[in-house]
Amino acid sequence: AAGDQVQLTDPKGRMHQIVLQAGGTFHTHRGSLSHDDLIGHPEGSVVTASSGTAYVALRPLLADYTLAMKRGATIVYPKDAAQILAYADVFPGARVLEAGAGSGALSCWLLRAIGQDGELVSYERRPDFAEVARANVDGYFGGPHPAWRLVTGDLPGQDGRDEPAEVSADAARAAAANDHLGAAGFDRVV
């Protein structure tokens, strides 16, 4: 359907991600391909560019999407996201606090892990990074995810006050935040 993300893979394994638009055209050094040739066709369809090059059209895997996403801050790579999900023991339905949304890569992984019954509250102090994160998360899920709340600003203090606190990405900060999870109602802090 128009608006869907598609990953086109050529015979050499090169991947190109596009968003389908009625009347749109994908151009490469191997010719052009009409988006209309993809709209309405099932995942896994093979389409041929004007040069005769065949492309397999699939929905992008989250790993591929995060590697190709627009970046403000650096992304959390898929291998690292897997470790974070495993060590934090993130589960379906969990309430998770994310300190620093960055470009939204880890947010996507967390949202997929917690599902629609969970809750992810992501804080991002930089408005420009927050915009990139929102666009990337909305892009992957095809619109706003019902379990995600993105807050632009500092993470509230962990001393029981609502005053902004300095946010750092080090493990000491996460450990301090974990001490206050029960009072804040979160299952995990990442």
Side-chain angles (χ1 to χ4, degrees):
D4 286 349
Q5 291 211 13
V6 173
Q7 181 169 284
L8 300 171
T9 306
D10 72 14
K12 291 188 176 184
R14 288 182 293 238
M15 296 178 281
H16 308 275
Q17 290 184 24
I18 62 172
V19 176
L20 296 178
Q21 299 173 355
T25 305
F26 167 69
H27 295 276
T28 177
H29 69 284
R30 295 194 173 267
S32 62
L33 182 87
S34 172
H35 290 205
D36 293 336
D37 291 342
L38 294 164
I39 294 173
H41 292 276
E43 186 172 352
S45 294
V46 177
V47 291
T48 305
S50 59
S51 66
T53 302
Y55 289 88
V56 177
L58 298 166
R59 178 185 54 82
L61 299 174
L62 181 52
D64 296 329
Y65 180 80
T66 56
L67 292 175
M69 70 176 29
K70 180 181 177 190
R71 301 174 188 194
T74 190
I75 62 162
V76 173
Y77 281 83
K79 66 181 182 63
D80 299 320
Q83 292 291 313
I84 292 167
L85 292 173
Y87 282 111
D89 195 24
V90 177
F91 55 88
R95 294 190 68 226
V96 179
L97 174 65
E98 179 184 25
S103 294
L106 182 59
S107 301
C108 287
W109 288 100
L110 289 166
L111 287 165
R112 236 190 36 192
I114 66 173
Q116 293 191 9
D117 293 331
E119 180 183 13
L120 173 62
V121 179
S122 303
Y123 280 83
E124 178 51 61
R125 70 173 10 165
R126 290 189 50 176
D128 54 333
F129 287 177
E131 288 176 28
V132 170
R134 182 171 310 283
N136 285 332
V137 171
D138 290 355
Y140 182 73
F141 290 104
H145 194 287
W148 191 42
R149 184 164 52 101
L150 176 61
V151 179
T152 303
D154 285 337
L155 186 67
Q158 297 300 314
D159 57 359
R161 297 180 294 150
D162 288 332
E163 297 173 14
E166 289 299 312
V167 177
S168 68
D170 62 25
R173 179 73 178 144
N178 270 317
D179 290 341
H180 301 281
L181 282 176
F186 289 99
D187 299 306
R188 303 288 184 264
V189 172
V190 294

